Amino acid sequence: MVKKYRFGNPFATEAVVKDVPVSEGKPLYGEVSVGEGFSYSYSMAEGDIVYGLGEANRGINKRGYCYVSNCTDDPNHTEDKCSLYGAHNFILVWGKETFGLFVDYPSDLAFDIGFTRSDLLTISCERADLDIYVIQGEDPADIVKQFRRLIGRSYIPPKFAFGFGQSRWGYKDREDFRRVAEGYRKNHLPIDMIYMDIDYMEEYKDFTVNEERFGGFKEFVREMKGQDIRLIPIIDAGVKIEEGYPVYEEGIREGYFCTKEDGTPFTAAVWPGYTHFPDVLNPKARAWFGAKYRFLTDMGIEGFWNDMNEPAIFYTPEGVAEVTALMEEFLRDRKEDRREDARWDAKLDQKVTVIKLREKLGESSGRREDYRLFYHQADGKRIRHDQVHNLFGCNMTRAAAEGLEGIDPDKRFLLFSRSSYIGMHRYGGIWTGDNKSWWSHILLNLKMLPSLNMCGFLYIGADLGGFGANASRDLVLRWLALGVFTPLMRNHAAIGTREQECYQFEGIEDFRHILGVRYRLIPYLYSEFMKAALEDELYFKPLAFDFPEDKMAAQVEDQVLLGNELMIAPVYTQNVSGRYVYLPERMKFVKFLPEGKISEEVLEKGHHYVEIRLNEVPLFIREGKCIPVVDAAECVADLDMETVKLIGFDGASYRMYDDDGVGRNYEEPGNWSVRSLG
Ligand code: GLC
């Protein structure tokens, strides 16, 4: 049962797709205070667990820390960070009372979950204009399912998007891409996608391709597809300000950019230098921006990643003016002190480039004041950006999804975004942004998975191998062995870091093997993904969801359930040859060993230490269940469903979903089949 409570005059975020009548009175369970801002508080019992919050830092159980929904471009995901790129305001309280809570509020929203006071959950924000949904149900799984029904069906990508993808910021011309393709194909490392970062564009201008480095782009896309590799370009939020650039000129002419208080377009610097932001909250501007993707689909492109859409701001002219004034003041004082030092004077004349300025003004990146300088034209009204900040990435991706639907309504495109709000899960997936090649980020990757699923995001993944910092071979292998199970499986790295494509390391056969396991499992992973999407279920679950009576299961933070058949427990520590796992029931411990071999061992409920070498992929099949596997292939199109066999417990059967992976006829009864083992 869902109850909706309305406060003030909320902005229509369109996160919820179902009509729910507004209930009178105060929201169930909590105390509300409206005055200086808004707050909802709930008194937690000692054993209460709090799940949810999607792409948030720290544990699967969110209790004990505070989190702020405020989409932020921050590449340092250290433990103290309260905000990352997404804003996913759904929590599930489980214990004394068990209920779900969705706070539909698109600006800064703080969740203090037993941080200030260990027994108190407080959700607060500045303006009392919001909808709160309280969801009651039989158990946590039922509550999450009801929530998912409320927010609508999750995005479904094409089947090729379940293959492996390679990415790196810095591939700059056709030759670089050919080298990557060759590195994979020549070494028989499976791959389906190579991602194109900003360097494919002409001076980072959206919907352009650099002629010199990518002339004849259509043929190049075809050439890659001839090798069963799809190129997936990035699209950034900011549109470069440049006379003669049609996207800029049209946007200005039609008034499609976000504006300042005086009605002139708002300017912010991102990769291209100064840009304007398309007003994706304005339906006309959204349709305009979305239709632009055709420029690339006309050349054979079938997928995109939307970036910098918090929107990221390196600096604004206003911010620069402030900092310059400060700098001038500072330098005047310094000059007084050092009049004799001629070199110092020379320094003053240095020309400051976009990048240098960015570095110098590091502090001005993502300045809160900047988000108060611009406006949207939404719902026929003008609204200041900071009041709807968390909706920008969501609506940029909505623009793309609707644009792509207009281009080909029957076709599934690959689409994912960096920033998001609940509601965007209907339009695309997400990747979790600029992580680092740190062991702790493998674990953070795992912890986000069930929380994201609860919030509707199913097509998800992290930059495998880590984006920032230098990756070591063992870290990449271990991270890939987790990535085998995430719907989006992409290795991505930042410019300047150690190259981490799978063929860059010694012992390529280990990488070939781990990628091969991904492809062997695609029938199962795809089937479970489709079940989760079509039936509003979780693809990744905390153990406690299926083992509610098991006190130990509730404490496990480094293992998750996948679908109804599996538990996964990745290795996320360096220099170890295995790990401890907790089995909440008897399970079959399966290892995919090199050379196509599989080891199987039944383990009893309880704690175990399991050996897992660097070149092995472990998984646990639940009591009485089985999963389908096929022979490995080098791309999704080559998977041979004739080789499907089942592994698991004798007598088990599996309800399998499969379809062409391209169209949208999900409901065909023929897509389902039942297979039995033994
Ligand atoms: C952002 C993205 C990253 C990308 C880079 C350059 O940092 O998060 O994935 O490589 O921009 O486009």
Side-chain angles (χ1 to χ4, degrees):
M1 188 163 65
V2 181
K3 283 189 176 266
K4 170 177 173 178
Y5 303 88
R6 172 155 287 187
F7 297 89
N9 187 16
F11 183 84
T13 67
E14 298 182 58
V16 165
V17 293
K18 272 197 176 169
D19 268 341
V20 183
V22 174
S23 295
E24 294 303 321
K26 72 177 177 70
L28 288 170
Y29 306 111
E31 291 302 324
V32 161
S33 133
V34 180
E36 282 284 288
F38 173 90
S39 82
Y40 170 95
S41 37
Y42 172 72
S43 161
M44 297 183 288
E46 206 182 320
D48 285 3
I49 293 175
V50 180
Y51 287 129
L53 292 185
E55 185 194 43
N57 216 342
R58 299 246 179 164
I60 298 179
N61 180 355
K62 290 283 176 279
R63 196 161 172 175
Y65 203 57
C66 44
Y67 314 84
V68 180
S69 290
N70 171 33
C71 298
T72 305
D73 170 25
D74 180 345
N76 292 308
H77 311 165
T78 45
E79 256 191 59
D80 54 330
K81 295 298 162 70
C82 299
S83 305
L84 298 172
Y85 307 90
H88 307 143
N89 305 335
F90 172 72
I91 57 169
L92 175 86
V93 178
W94 184 2
K96 181 182 67 176
E97 303 283 357
T98 299
F99 59 98
L101 202 65
F102 173 52
V103 184
D104 195 4
Y105 179 78
S107 184
D108 271 30
L109 183 68
F111 292 81
D112 181 333
I113 310 183
F115 176 71
T116 305
R117 251 184 62 186
S118 61
D119 61 344
L120 202 61
L121 160 72
T122 311
I123 304 172
S124 56
C125 56
E126 211 173 83
R127 283 170 301 107
D129 293 313
L130 67 159
D131 284 331
I132 292 192
Y133 296 81
V134 180
I135 305 160
Q136 298 169 293
E138 282 165 28
D139 55 28
D142 176 51
I143 289 168
V144 171
K145 194 171 179 130
Q146 289 188 57
F147 176 58
R148 295 271 303 282
R149 295 237 156 103
L150 194 66
I151 58 175
R153 180 181 283 176
S154 300
Y155 160 77
I156 297 176
K159 205 196 269 180
F160 74 76
F162 286 81
F164 169 76
Q166 181 62 56
S167 184
R168 181 178 175 82
W169 174 16
Y171 300 153
K172 61 182 181 318
D173 56 20
R174 268 177 308 217
E175 284 320 306
D176 283 348
F177 284 88
R178 286 190 180 121
R179 250 193 304 279
V180 179
E182 191 187 317
Y184 276 87
R185 287 284 173 249
K186 199 182 71 203
N187 289 300
H188 301 287
L189 291 158
I191 189 166
D192 270 88
M193 290 150 289
I194 304 181
Y195 288 83
M196 308 189 83
D197 209 317
I198 47 175
D199 297 295
Y200 80 87
M201 297 183 226
E202 177 65 36
E203 293 182 10
Y204 310 143
K205 285 183 286 196
D206 280 339
F207 314 114
T208 68
V209 171
N210 181 287
E211 266 303 304
E212 206 179 303
R213 290 176 281 114
F214 290 96
F217 188 62
K218 197 170 179 175
E219 277 64 54
F220 184 55
V221 173
R222 197 176 305 136
E223 173 190 320
M224 285 290 144
K225 237 188 234 174
Q227 301 183 47
D228 283 302
I229 292 175
R230 282 162 167 103
L231 294 173
I232 311 294
I234 196 170
I235 301 290
D236 278 359
V239 171
K240 185 174 169 70
I241 299 175
E242 189 184 282
E243 297 300 326
Y245 165 40
V247 184
Y248 162 74
E249 292 196 337
E250 272 171 44
I252 292 286
R253 198 173 53 237
E254 303 296 334
Y256 288 155
F257 294 127
C258 295
T259 50
K260 292 194 288 196
E261 199 171 10
D262 66 4
T264 60
F266 169 72
T267 298
V270 212
W271 301 125
Y274 278 135
T275 65
H276 294 321
F277 293 141
D279 184 359
V280 286
L281 269 69
N282 167 354
K284 278 197 182 138
R286 187 161 65 226
W288 164 75
F289 194 77
K292 292 278 166 232
Y293 286 73
R294 185 186 279 278
F295 170 74
L296 288 152
T297 58
D298 276 352
M299 293 196 268
I301 292 296
E302 294 174 86
F304 299 89
W305 47 311
N306 282 346
D307 191 21
M308 306 301 276
N309 52 7
E310 293 69 31
I313 295 180
F314 294 164
Y315 54 88
T316 56
E318 291 82 352
V320 171
E322 255 179 54
V323 180
T324 313
L326 274 176
M327 256 162 54
E328 275 168 5
E329 195 181 316
F330 169 79
L331 291 171
R332 245 191 333 266
D333 295 348
R334 299 279 293 182
K335 223 171 137 192
E336 292 290 310
D337 296 346
R338 302 181 172 213
R339 217 177 292 257
E340 337 58 87
D341 189 343
R343 282 186 308 142
W344 182 257
D345 275 353
K347 266 194 194 161
L348 287 183
D349 297 331
Q350 264 176 13
K351 237 187 158 281
V352 190
T353 62
V354 170
I355 296 291
K356 273 197 199 141
L357 194 55
R358 190 200 169 206
E359 278 165 9
K360 287 219 171 75
L361 305 181
E363 284 296 299
S364 76
S365 187
R367 242 171 42 117
R368 291 189 79 84
E369 300 90 295
D370 287 337
Y371 293 99
R372 289 196 280 268
L373 291 177
F374 64 105
Y375 293 79
H376 296 273
Q377 201 61 45
D379 238 356
K381 289 189 291 277
R382 208 161 107 100
I383 183 153
R384 205 174 70 190
H385 175 79
D386 62 311
Q387 298 182 6
V388 286
H389 173 68
N390 293 336
L391 293 176
F392 193 95
C394 167
N395 280 284
M396 180 194 174
T397 300
R398 177 176 175 184
E402 290 173 346
L404 293 168
E405 196 173 345
I407 290 163
D408 191 341
D410 299 323
K411 184 182 164 101
R412 294 185 228 171
F413 287 89
L414 169 56
L415 182 62
F416 58 90
S417 172
R418 192 169 73 176
S419 185
S420 57
Y421 185 80
I422 288 175
M424 203 210 84
H425 70 287
R426 300 192 295 270
Y427 301 106
I430 60 162
W431 96 100
T432 51
D434 298 347
N435 59 11
K436 296 258 195 312
S437 300
W438 294 345
W439 291 94
S440 59
H441 277 185
I442 302 183
L443 186 55
L444 182 60
N445 179 185
L446 180 81
K447 287 180 182 183
M448 284 181 184
L449 299 170
S451 319
L452 279 165
N453 277 192
M454 291 176 203
C455 298
F457 294 90
L458 295 182
Y459 190 73
I460 52 175
D463 286 351
L464 302 174
F467 177 75
N470 294 327
S472 60
R473 177 179 189 270
D474 56 345
L475 176 132
V476 178
L477 282 168
R478 291 300 197 195
W479 211 330
L480 286 172
L482 164 60
V484 157
F485 301 101
T486 59
L488 165 62
M489 185 190 192
R490 179 177 80 144
N491 176 340
H492 179 48
I495 195 162
T497 58
R498 180 184 186 184
E499 293 177 314
Q500 65 187 46
E501 292 84 4
C502 294
Y503 53 81
Q504 304 283 6
F505 300 97
E506 76 221 60
I508 291 180
E509 63 279 6
D510 291 344
F511 291 85
R512 182 182 310 127
H513 167 61
I514 290 184
L515 295 183
V517 174
R518 163 60 167 223
Y519 283 75
R520 297 197 66 182
L521 288 171
I522 283 178
Y524 177 71
L525 302 178
Y526 183 69
S527 174
E528 286 308 301
F529 182 95
M530 294 303 287
K531 263 184 219 171
L534 300 176
E535 294 167 5
D536 299 308
E537 295 282 356
L538 295 176
Y539 174 95
F540 290 116
K541 286 178 273 197
L543 267 52
F545 267 56
D546 286 2
F547 300 94
E549 304 300 327
D550 184 330
K551 291 264 178 298
M552 189 64 223
Q555 299 202 24
V556 174
E557 286 270 339
D558 59 356
Q559 306 168 204
V560 295
L561 299 171
L562 192 175
N564 290 315
E565 285 72 22
L566 296 188
M567 181 180 81
I568 60 168
V571 175
Y572 54 88
T573 315
Q574 69 179 24
N575 296 319
V576 297
S577 56
R579 58 162 287 175
Y580 285 96
V581 284
Y582 174 68
L583 271 55
E585 66 179 357
R586 190 168 171 258
M587 289 183 181
K588 199 170 243 192
F589 173 42
V590 173
K591 278 194 289 190
F592 286 81
L593 311 168
E595 284 154 24
K597 296 197 192 84
I598 294 178
S599 74
E600 299 182 35
E601 182 189 356
V602 174
L603 297 176
E604 297 304 321
K605 172 181 158 82
H607 295 274
H608 298 266
Y609 184 84
V610 290
E611 296 283 342
I612 305 159
R613 290 176 204 278
L614 267 182
N615 58 3
E616 295 174 348
V617 181
L619 55 83
F620 298 82
I621 300 181
R622 291 174 56 180
E623 168 93 286
K625 315 258 187 193
C626 65
I627 62 163
V629 293
V630 285
D631 287 348
E634 289 184 33
C635 62
V636 169
D638 283 355
L639 287 174
D640 178 5
M641 295 303 281
E642 298 301 306
T643 67
V644 173
K645 66 171 201 259
L646 299 167
I647 54 172
F649 287 89
D650 279 343
S653 32
Y654 180 68
R655 186 169 67 101
M656 181 154 137
Y657 180 95
D658 193 27
D659 62 14
D660 66 3
V662 179
R664 298 184 187 219
N665 291 333
Y666 311 123
E667 319 293 347
E668 296 285 313
N671 294 344
W672 295 97
S673 61
V674 175
R675 300 173 185 238
S676 303
L677 181 63

